Amino acid sequence: MTEALSAGVAGLNMAQNADGGIVAEIHSRHGRSAQPESQQVLAVLRAVLEVISAEGMAATPTTIFAALMSALDRPDAQSSPGITLAMCTVLAVALVRVPNGVLRSKFNSSVQLLSKVAERSRQEAAAVKAALLCLGQVLAAVEPGAWHAASRTFQLLLSFATDNRPKVRKRAQASTGDVLAALQNSPQNLAAASEAIVAVCKLVLPGPAAAARAAATASNKQRAAAEAAIAAAVNDVLHLLGALKAWVPLMTGPSLPPLLEQLLKLYSLHQPLLSRHTSEVLGSLIARPGSQISSSQLQQLIELLVDGEASHVLSGPGSAVAASADGDQLSAMAKLLEGGLCRLAEQVPAAAGKLLPRVVHLLVPLLAAEQDGVRYSASGALQSLLRSCLTPELVTTLQRQQQQQQGLSPLQSLVAAVASSLGARYQ
């Protein structure tokens, strides 16, 4: 009895070693569930293992992958979303264990088939979500310099990034991020993927402004439809901004200028929610150490913010502070200016020093904001900026500039801004 049990355990361990743990993982996820979806997954797994065994082969990640890809193209899988879901669920577990060389050798046929699966499952949220996961895993294996084979499929993946179904949308966004992460060592492919994202942004981000212009000329009968179009456009932008927070730090530097141009235009709509999320996207780009924004791009971005949108949001006529606007919008802008100037101080200290007095002047009034969170963000940003940017070398440079110019020098302006924060208004 003991010997038989030992032999059975040894056999199970050998099977798990051969399949890379696919069977064990699926059983751990679905083996104890009575849900029909889980039972379907287990049935598909059994069927695949039986087919592989009948062919006299071992159940490895590669043979499981091949069997499932063949099965996905059969009529019964095409006609049943439930079977498609189960097959893609098993396939996703297998794909993370399939060698890149195998995926690349079958890349064209794989992306074509999985694209068809995603398209035909578009109306079935669970099935299309599972298909998008598999699609992202295969796209991530694209061979350097072979993006032409992945281009259309990547665009399909992007088309789901603004889907109204949260689980589908988040899956598409996460898979897109996984593809970008996998392309970091493939500059040519990464550039093409980044440009594809910029193209989507050029279509989606101007949507609210265009819908608003159309609504302005709409008749009374068209008013309801026009307002619905504005709401739909804003939703699409919010969905895309949510994705860009994860995507922009992974995109190439040359793709950023046209993207930044589109993002900055959103501030002109003066919509607090859009402005907050835009600031968070820009903040994500600046904060990630690996992001490819150059020092010149960063300096230009901060200058544009200080001269335009940051000034309007934080201290302009009818500003958000005066109007007691959404505190999150104010905090996001404060954190954006803090992160941007601190990073610029590491790269080009002199440029950061020139901008420091103007940023401090914008942030000091936030110390008197009604919202506790805004005051806390402003205080933290000011402390961080003064520690990061106000170095002895910068003070010497500013003192030298002070001797060469008339009127209030940058150093005097900075001292005046800091001194003003000590007034009774901010106590």
Side-chain angles (χ1 to χ4, degrees):
M1 176 71 74
T2 302
E3 292 179 358
L5 180 60
S6 298
V9 171
L12 178 61
N13 288 336
M14 289 178 63
Q16 288 179 351
N17 290 336
D19 70 25
I22 294 173
V23 173
E25 181 175 337
I26 291 174
H27 274 287
S28 70
R29 291 184 183 180
H30 303 279
R32 298 180 181 178
S33 173
Q35 294 296 319
E37 294 84 1
S38 290
Q39 293 302 308
Q40 184 74 70
V41 169
L42 295 172
V44 165
L45 177 61
R46 286 192 297 270
V48 167
L49 295 177
E50 288 172 2
V51 168
I52 293 172
S53 177
E55 294 288 335
M57 296 184 293
T60 66
T62 298
T63 57
I64 292 173
F65 160 68
L68 284 165
M69 293 299 288
S70 176
L72 274 170
D73 208 19
R74 292 207 317 256
D76 56 340
Q78 296 178 21
S79 62
S80 171
I83 294 177
T84 297
L85 169 60
M87 287 184 175
C88 288
T89 300
V90 179
L91 179 60
V93 177
L95 280 170
V96 297
R97 297 167 169 86
V98 177
N100 263 5
V102 174
L103 292 179
R104 287 173 177 175
S105 69
K106 301 293 183 182
F107 187 82
N108 287 357
S109 59
S110 296
V111 294
Q112 288 172 12
L113 175 57
L114 289 171
S115 294
K116 283 168 45 180
V117 172
E119 287 282 18
R120 74 181 183 228
S121 305
R122 184 177 285 271
Q123 303 305 319
E124 301 292 335
V128 74
K129 174 175 171 282
L132 292 175
L133 174 57
C134 297
L135 201 55
Q137 290 171 315
V138 175
L139 281 172
V142 64
E143 195 166 358
W147 186 255
H148 59 89
S151 177
R152 291 183 63 183
T153 304
F154 188 67
Q155 291 174 358
L156 173 65
L157 186 61
L158 290 175
S159 72
F160 286 95
T162 55
D163 196 279
N164 285 326
R165 296 164 294 183
K167 291 184 178 180
V168 174
R169 179 174 69 250
K170 290 177 181 178
R171 179 66 267 159
Q173 293 175 357
S175 290
T176 301
D178 291 341
V179 173
L180 291 174
L183 299 180
Q184 292 302 298
N185 294 321
S186 180
Q188 188 176 349
N189 288 349
L190 181 61
S194 299
E195 291 301 327
I197 292 173
V198 172
V200 171
C201 291
K202 288 180 177 180
L203 289 175
V204 175
L205 296 183
R213 288 193 297 270
T217 60
S219 65
N220 289 335
K221 291 183 178 180
Q222 299 171 323
R223 179 63 57 188
E227 291 177 354
I230 292 175
V234 169
N235 271 339
D236 285 346
V237 169
L238 289 173
H239 295 331
L240 187 55
L241 291 175
L244 287 171
K245 293 172 191 177
W247 296 349
V248 289
L250 301 171
M251 294 170 63
T252 59
S255 70
L256 295 178
L259 175 59
L260 294 177
E261 180 183 355
Q262 293 297 324
L263 288 169
L264 290 172
K265 288 179 180 179
L266 292 176
Y267 285 118
S268 64
L269 299 177
H270 306 311
Q271 295 295 320
L273 190 59
L274 290 177
S275 294
R276 171 165 66 88
H277 284 284
T278 300
S279 295
E280 289 173 353
V281 171
L282 296 174
S284 176
L285 172 63
I286 289 168
R288 298 279 186 91
S291 71
Q292 297 190 29
I293 186 170
S294 67
S295 56
S296 60
Q297 289 172 338
L298 179 58
Q299 181 179 347
Q300 184 180 23
L301 172 60
I302 299 172
E303 288 173 348
L304 288 171
L305 288 170
V306 170
D307 290 337
E309 302 313 322
S311 180
H312 174 85
V313 169
L314 301 179
S315 62
S319 69
V321 176
S324 300
D326 183 358
D328 291 336
Q329 178 191 4
L330 303 177
S331 295
M333 181 60 76
K335 291 175 182 176
L336 171 57
L337 292 175
E338 173 195 356
L341 205 55
C342 284
R343 179 163 179 171
L344 186 62
E346 296 173 357
Q347 300 173 352
V348 191
K354 290 181 181 178
L355 288 165
L356 179 61
R358 299 167 66 190
V359 172
V360 170
H361 272 288
L362 288 173
L363 293 178
V364 164
L366 296 185
L367 297 174
E370 293 182 5
Q371 303 93 333
D372 291 340
V374 175
R375 294 197 300 272
Y376 180 81
S377 295
S379 174
L382 287 166
Q383 292 179 55
S384 176
L385 287 171
L386 293 174
R387 282 197 301 265
S388 300
C389 302
L390 199 59
T391 62
E393 294 79 10
L394 176 60
V395 172
T396 301
T397 301
L398 292 178
Q399 286 175 332
R400 197 177 300 120
Q401 292 176 355
Q402 180 176 339
Q403 298 169 356
Q404 299 171 352
Q405 69 179 64
Q406 297 178 346
L408 201 63
S409 70
L411 183 58
Q412 291 170 326
S413 176
L414 176 61
V415 171
V418 174
S420 71
S421 70
L422 304 177
R425 179 187 177 193
Y426 303 112
Q427 301 304 310

